[in-house]
Amino acid sequence: MDNKTPRKNKLYKSFGYAFEGIFNTIFYERNMQIHSLVTVLVVIFGIILKISLIEWFICMLLFAIVLSLELVNTAIEAVVDLVTEEKKPLAKKAKDAAAGAVLISAIFAAIMGGIIFFPKLWAFLF
């Protein structure tokens, strides 16, 4: 066995843990399910409305930001819940700030999506 095998196993395991975290969050967190559904719908509409390559890049970046922040929000909520079951002001502050980060990204993603999609949808319908 060479020196690279243990390292490769660790890397393989770390990817496995990351995918496990993503899929657990998708399966068990309502907000992640909503964000994932919206992502799928945007992809479908993007194909139907033939958005440009640059518009695809923008959408992909927005997907990454919103979904990643939702994963971080879920992690923060889990850690806070692990540390304390009591209602504490700092626990609430941490959870609210993480949720706020997701909300801000989702609002701006929706605005940017509207800028990309509404003119194309209008042209498609009329």
Side-chain angles (χ1 to χ4, degrees):
M1 187 152 115
D2 61 88
N3 289 339
K4 292 183 181 178
T5 304
R7 190 175 192 185
K8 189 185 285 187
N9 285 340
K10 286 181 183 180
L11 181 62
Y12 176 76
K13 283 183 178 182
S14 68
F15 275 102
Y17 297 140
F19 281 112
E20 186 176 344
I22 293 167
F23 290 121
N24 279 336
T25 306
I26 290 170
F27 291 134
Y28 299 110
E29 296 294 327
R30 183 195 68 226
N31 289 342
M32 185 63 147
Q33 293 167 352
I34 293 167
H35 293 307
S36 297
L37 175 64
V38 170
T39 298
V40 170
L41 292 174
V42 168
V43 169
I44 291 168
F45 277 105
I47 292 167
I48 292 169
L49 297 174
K50 297 178 174 67
I51 64 175
S52 72
L53 186 59
I54 291 174
E55 290 166 335
W56 276 115
F57 287 147
I58 293 167
C59 288
M60 293 295 156
L61 181 60
L62 294 170
F63 298 157
I65 291 168
V66 173
L67 296 174
S68 295
L69 282 173
E70 187 60 49
L71 287 164
V72 171
N73 178 50
T74 300
I76 289 170
E77 288 181 356
V79 169
V80 169
D81 290 346
L82 181 66
V83 171
T84 182
E85 291 183 15
E86 298 174 35
K87 297 213 181 233
K88 293 185 176 180
L90 285 177
K92 180 178 177 359
K93 184 176 182 177
K95 287 179 150 186
D96 291 351
V102 178
L103 181 61
I104 287 172
S105 70
I107 289 169
F108 279 93
I111 292 168
M112 293 172 75
I115 291 168
I116 291 170
F117 281 93
F118 285 144
K120 293 184 182 321
L121 188 59
W122 183 264
F124 183 78
L125 295 174
F126 303 104

